[in-house]
């Protein structure tokens, strides 16, 4: 572990999730202290056993109290703050509870704002503010009311943050990975199967067929994209949406 890495902190919201935990693993592998943010103390304790560099911060990013909770865990410059929390909302506009759209926005839009408020006093030139969004915010399907709407709003929010913090030397980055094989995607596919009557394996085959790569991206590949943003040269990616989706998105821009 280098002195430079040890003197800096990374913050990961959604640290115990499928994607967040892999991101945490890669960051501590580089020697960074990681403040792991999640709602379950049990899951945080389990994650913390994997490295002495992990500091647990139990809080709910859907609550404004998370700002003070995260801030209290910080005592060093924040090299990277990552919002990787998932959404507890799914379904089409025909089946979703309308108020669930507000829940989605509270997590996926207000959540990054809470993270920003918590870390902003610790951001320095060269710091990264990163959000995991999703390609559904760019090209949603008919069953993606919650994630499609919330991720589209997150893309807009991150563009606003980039304009506000870029002149301060703090860069923002949005990673839109598209479908990744996670427990959350499996739950979405099961819901689609129940709603449409289509076999689960047929739905999986459709997801794979949508990629130009012929397979879904892995969690490790998405975590690699996040880790790459630590490079000084990643300044040039400020404000960009990184569509690490294996070729799912079809638009030219």
């Amino acid at each position: 572990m280098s002195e430079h890495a040890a003197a800096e902190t990374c913050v990961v919201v959604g640290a115990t999730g499928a994607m967040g935990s892999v991101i945490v693993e890669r960051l501590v592998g580089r020697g960074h202290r990681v403040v792991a943010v999640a709602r379950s103390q049990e899951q945080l304790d389990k994650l913390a056993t994997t490295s002495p560099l992990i500091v647990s911060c139990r809080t709910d990013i859907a609550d404004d109290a998370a700002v003070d909770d995260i801030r209290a865990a910080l005592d060093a410059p924040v090299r990277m703050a990552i919002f990787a929390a998932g959404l507890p909302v799914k379904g089409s506009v025909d089946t979703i509870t309308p108020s669930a759209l507000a829940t989605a926005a509270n997590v996926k839009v207000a959540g990054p704002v809470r993270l920003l408020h918590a870390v902003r006093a610790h951001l320095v030139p060269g710091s990264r503010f990163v959000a995991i969004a999703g390609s559904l915010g760019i090209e949603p399907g008919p069953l993606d009311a919650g994630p499609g709407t919330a991720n589209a709003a997150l893309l807009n929010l991150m563009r606003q943050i980039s304009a506000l913090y870029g002149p301060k030397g703090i860069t923002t980055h949005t990673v839109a990975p598209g479908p990744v094989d996670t427990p959350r995607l499996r739950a979405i596919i099961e819901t689609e199967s129940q709603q449409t009557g289509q076999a689960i394996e047929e739905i999986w085959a459709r997801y794979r067929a949508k990629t130009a790569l012929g397979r879904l991206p892995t969690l490790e590949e998405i975590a690699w994209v996040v880790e790459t943003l630590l490079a000084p040269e990643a300044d040039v990616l400020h404000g960009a949406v990184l569509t690490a989706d294996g070729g799912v998105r079809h638009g030219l821009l």
Side-chain angles (χ1 to χ4, degrees):
M1 177 174 63
S2 70
E3 291 183 8
H4 181 67
E8 297 175 327
T9 295
C10 296
V11 181
V12 180
V13 172
T16 59
M19 186 172 296
S21 60
V22 179
I23 292 172
V24 170
E25 180 181 1
R26 291 193 76 104
L27 293 175
V28 298
R30 288 177 62 108
H32 288 282
R33 175 179 180 266
V34 174
V35 174
V37 181
R39 291 180 296 177
S40 169
Q41 187 63 57
E42 180 181 358
Q43 291 299 314
L44 283 169
D45 290 344
K46 181 178 179 181
L47 181 65
T49 63
T50 64
S51 172
L53 291 174
I54 297 174
V55 177
S56 297
C57 177
R58 187 186 69 81
T59 194
D60 186 351
I61 200 62
D63 191 310
D64 287 347
V67 174
D68 289 336
D69 292 339
I70 297 171
R71 185 185 293 143
L74 303 176
D75 58 5
V78 171
R79 181 70 177 89
M80 178 183 283
I82 306 143
F83 184 87
L87 278 178
V89 176
K90 53 184 177 290
S92 69
V93 292
D94 278 339
T95 62
I96 194 171
T97 302
S99 61
L101 289 171
T103 299
N106 187 40
V107 173
K108 206 74 174 185
V109 184
V113 174
R114 294 183 183 104
L115 174 60
L116 179 63
H117 286 191
V119 304
R120 58 188 173 187
H122 294 272
L123 298 176
V124 297
S127 293
R128 313 296 194 206
F129 190 82
V130 182
I132 308 296
S135 60
L136 294 179
I138 303 168
E139 292 185 356
L143 302 175
D144 305 321
T149 302
N151 280 308
L154 176 56
L155 295 172
N156 184 288
L157 175 70
M158 290 296 288
R159 182 61 59 85
Q160 296 179 48
I161 296 172
S162 71
L164 188 63
Y165 279 80
K168 302 176 183 179
I170 298 161
T171 65
T172 67
H173 310 270
T174 308
V175 180
V180 180
D181 188 355
T182 63
R184 177 175 170 274
L185 178 59
R186 291 178 179 274
I188 290 173
I189 288 176
E190 288 177 6
T191 297
E192 181 176 345
S193 178
Q194 293 168 2
Q195 291 182 1
T196 65
Q198 190 175 14
I200 288 178
E201 182 50 40
E202 291 179 3
I203 299 173
W204 272 114
R206 191 182 75 237
Y207 271 93
R208 290 192 293 268
K210 285 182 178 179
T211 71
L213 190 62
R215 65 169 177 83
L216 298 185
T218 67
L219 289 169
E220 289 74 17
E221 287 169 333
I222 305 306
W224 169 82
V225 172
V226 174
E227 180 187 3
T228 299
L229 295 174
L230 289 167
E233 294 82 358
D235 279 357
V236 74
L237 298 176
H238 170 62
V241 178
L242 307 176
T243 51
D245 60 9
V248 170
R249 184 181 174 188
H250 297 141
L252 296 178
L253 297 176

